[in-house]
Amino acid sequence: MADITSLLGSIRNIPTPFYFYDLELLRKSLDEVKKHGLSKGYKVHYAMKANANPRILEVIRQYHLGADAVSSNEVKAALAAGFPKEEIVFAGVGKSDEEIMVGLQNDIFCFNCESAQEVEVINELAGRMGKKAKIALRINPNVDAKTHHYITTGMKENKFGLPPKEIDQVIDKLPQLANIQLTGIHFHIGSQVTSLESYTQLAQRANDFNAYFRSKGIELQHVNVGGGLGIDYVDPKGNPVPDFKSYFEVFEKHMKLAPEQELHFELGRAIVGQCGSLISKVLYNKEGETIKFLIIDAGMTELIRPALYQAHHFIENITSQSQAYETYDVVGPICESSDAFRKGIELKQSKRGDLLAIRSAGAYGEVMMSRYNLRDNAKTYFDIDLNR
C-alpha cells in the first residue's frame, strides 16, 4: 500500500491541510466486498454520503457497485461517475419535490420511502410526469445499533423510516396509487456499527416484515438491509480492511428470502473510511497552565467528526525524528472550543512545521468540509499522483 509515510519526499512541499487517499487500500476493501458479497449474488450500493470525491467514485464503479444517494445532487454525481440509473437508490428522510423529480426523470432503481405521505407525493409527481415510480418502504425495525446516539437510525424514537403502524396504511392505499410500484423493503439501523449481534437482530426483523408482506399477497423483489458497518479507528494500521466476511455471513446465515428475491446492501464508511488521511502542519506549540497544545492548520472545517460525534481518530507525527514522546491536546485554529481532534494523546515530540496524519478520514471527512471562518477547503491528493 502507498501509505503516506512512504511518500514524505513527495508531500513536504504540498500546502496543508490536505486529504490523501490510498487507492490501493481502497481497492483491497473493494476486493473483499466482491469476494464475500458480490460473488454471492448480493447487490451492494455504495453510500455516496460517505465520500463523493469523483476519483473515489470512479474506482468504486470499476467494481460494479450501485449507488445509494440521499440527495438529487448525489444522484447526478452517481450518473456522472458512470453508475447505471437502474442501480441507483434514492434514500433520505426529507426529499424535496424537485429532488424527487430528478430521480423520476432518470428512471432510477427505486426510492427508499420514509413515510406514507412521501409515497403519496411520489405517486402524484410521477403521475404528472407520466412515470411509474419504483419504491421500497423504509421500515424502522427498532434495533439498537449500539453506536453513538447521533448516528443511530433504527430505533423507534429516531426520525427515520416508517413506524410499523403505518405499514398497513400504505398497503391499503397501494391499489389507489396508480403511479407507484412497490418493489422492496429497506432498513438501516445506524452507522459505525461494530456489533454483529445488531445485524443478526436486523436480519430476523427483516424476515418478519418480509413474511408479513407475503401474508398480504405482496411479493417483494428485494430486501435492502442498509449498511453502517464500522471501521477500526483505534488501530487503522493493524485493521485497514473491515471484516466483510463475517458481516456478509450474518445475513447469509440468518436471512430467509424467497428464491427470486434479491438482497441489497448500502455500504459507505466500511469501503472508504480507512483509505483517507487528513495531513496537517503544526503551526504552534503552546503551553497552558496544565496542558501542552499542538495547534495545527486543520480544523473542524476539514474534519468535523471529533467536534460533532466526539469521535477519536488515530493521529501520528509522520515527520518527527525524536525518540521521545509527549502528551498533547491536538487542536485546530477555528474560533470554537469544540475545535479539538484529540486530548491527552501521546505523540512523538513535536515542533512547529511537523506534519501530522489524522487517520481513518476517508469517510465523512472531505465530504463534510465547510467554509466556516471563511476558510479555504483542503485539497485532495492520491497515491497515484504522488508516485508520478
Side-chain angles (χ1 to χ4, degrees):
M1 290 178 289
D3 187 84
I4 191 69
T5 53
S6 67
L7 298 168
L8 284 176
S10 303
I11 69 167
R12 286 185 182 274
N13 295 321
I14 295 177
T16 53
F18 65 89
Y19 273 93
F20 168 80
Y21 293 109
D22 182 344
L23 295 183
E24 185 180 347
L25 178 54
L26 173 59
R27 291 189 177 96
K28 285 181 181 293
S29 294
L30 288 163
D31 285 338
E32 290 295 295
V33 171
K34 180 179 179 180
K35 179 179 179 181
H36 300 293
L38 300 179
S39 67
K40 294 182 172 68
Y42 300 152
K43 306 293 183 181
V44 179
H45 304 269
Y46 169 63
M48 294 181 60
K49 61 182 176 289
N51 190 322
N53 184 291
R55 198 80 156 270
I56 297 291
L57 297 181
E58 178 187 342
V59 173
I60 292 171
R61 183 54 208 151
Q62 291 169 2
Y63 282 77
H64 304 291
L65 274 67
D68 163 40
V70 293
S71 73
S72 59
N73 284 337
E74 286 191 353
V75 171
K76 293 173 184 176
L79 291 167
F83 290 84
K85 61 185 182 181
E86 60 272 14
E87 296 178 14
I88 298 174
V89 297
F90 191 170
V93 71
K95 307 175 190 73
S96 70
D97 291 10
E98 292 76 16
E99 289 183 306
I100 291 168
M101 287 189 285
V102 169
L104 291 169
Q105 287 163 355
N106 287 285
D107 299 314
I108 62 171
F109 174 70
C110 82
F111 294 87
N112 293 339
C113 294
E114 304 245 2
S115 68
Q117 188 176 39
E118 182 186 341
V119 175
E120 294 175 0
V121 169
I122 292 176
N123 177 69
E124 179 186 344
L125 294 172
R128 286 188 211 163
M129 299 174 67
K131 300 274 189 176
K132 188 149 189 166
K134 295 179 181 179
I135 68 165
L137 297 180
R138 178 173 178 175
I139 299 170
N140 190 316
N142 197 31
V143 171
D144 186 359
K146 298 181 174 62
T147 187
H148 192 280
H149 60 282
Y150 283 1
I151 49 177
T152 295
T153 61
M155 296 294 287
K156 62 185 179 182
E157 63 267 23
N158 297 137
K159 68 180 180 181
F160 300 94
L162 278 82
K165 67 180 182 179
E166 271 196 22
I167 295 174
D168 282 340
Q169 180 183 337
V170 175
I171 290 175
D172 292 343
K173 278 195 172 182
L174 281 176
Q176 306 163 37
L177 304 175
N179 300 100
I180 289 292
Q181 180 185 357
L182 176 61
T183 62
I185 51 176
H186 172 240
F187 308 88
H188 183 64
I189 59 173
S191 190
Q192 186 51 22
V193 181
T194 56
S195 167
L196 292 181
E197 174 58 28
S198 295
Y199 287 121
T200 299
Q201 293 178 33
L202 171 59
Q204 293 165 346
R205 292 289 282 157
N207 289 335
D208 292 342
F209 285 112
N210 195 19
Y212 183 75
F213 277 86
R214 191 173 294 120
S215 74
K216 293 285 188 177
I218 299 173
E219 295 295 332
L220 301 169
Q221 296 173 17
H222 74 277
V223 177
N224 185 330
V225 291
L229 178 65
I231 62 174
D232 191 339
Y233 284 96
V234 176
D235 185 16
K237 289 185 171 182
N239 296 295
V241 178
D243 186 1
F244 290 109
K245 181 176 185 291
S246 296
Y247 171 72
F248 285 113
E249 281 179 348
V250 167
F251 296 96
E252 184 179 18
K253 179 179 179 181
H254 294 286
M255 288 297 299
K256 298 174 182 177
L257 300 177
E260 71 280 2
Q261 283 185 315
E262 294 178 342
L263 185 59
H264 289 229
F265 296 83
E266 296 167 351
L267 292 168
R269 180 199 314 262
I271 292 172
V272 297
Q274 297 290 31
C275 78
S277 297
L278 176 60
I279 310 304
S280 182
K281 185 177 295 183
V282 176
L283 296 175
Y284 301 103
N285 295 67
K286 180 176 179 178
E287 294 208 17
E289 291 293 328
T290 58
I291 296 172
K292 290 184 178 179
F293 295 95
L294 287 184
I295 301 173
I296 63 177
D297 61 2
M300 60 191 287
T301 43
E302 284 69 50
L303 181 63
I304 198 173
R305 294 188 70 256
L308 186 61
Y309 304 129
Q310 298 79 53
H312 285 193
H313 287 255
F314 180 81
I315 302 175
E316 61 181 323
N317 187 321
I318 57 175
T319 53
S320 174
Q321 300 300 311
S322 176
Q323 299 303 308
Y325 282 76
E326 290 196 64
T327 301
Y328 301 99
D329 281 10
V330 179
V331 301
I334 308 303
C335 295
E336 301 285 346
S337 295
S338 58
D339 185 35
F341 290 104
R342 289 289 298 271
K343 295 186 176 183
I345 184 175
E346 279 201 353
L347 294 173
K348 285 184 177 181
Q349 200 169 62
S350 303
K351 65 183 185 304
R352 173 175 164 83
D354 279 348
L355 296 180
L356 303 189
I358 303 174
R359 303 284 184 169
S360 310
Y364 306 107
E366 178 192 352
V367 77
M368 296 178 79
M369 283 195 297
S370 79
R371 294 294 311 279
Y372 183 47
N373 289 187
L374 291 184
R375 285 173 52 83
D376 291 329
N377 285 152
K379 291 183 170 55
T380 57
Y381 296 87
F382 299 84
D383 50 15
I384 56 175
D385 297 327
L386 299 178
N387 279 323
R388 286 175 179 168

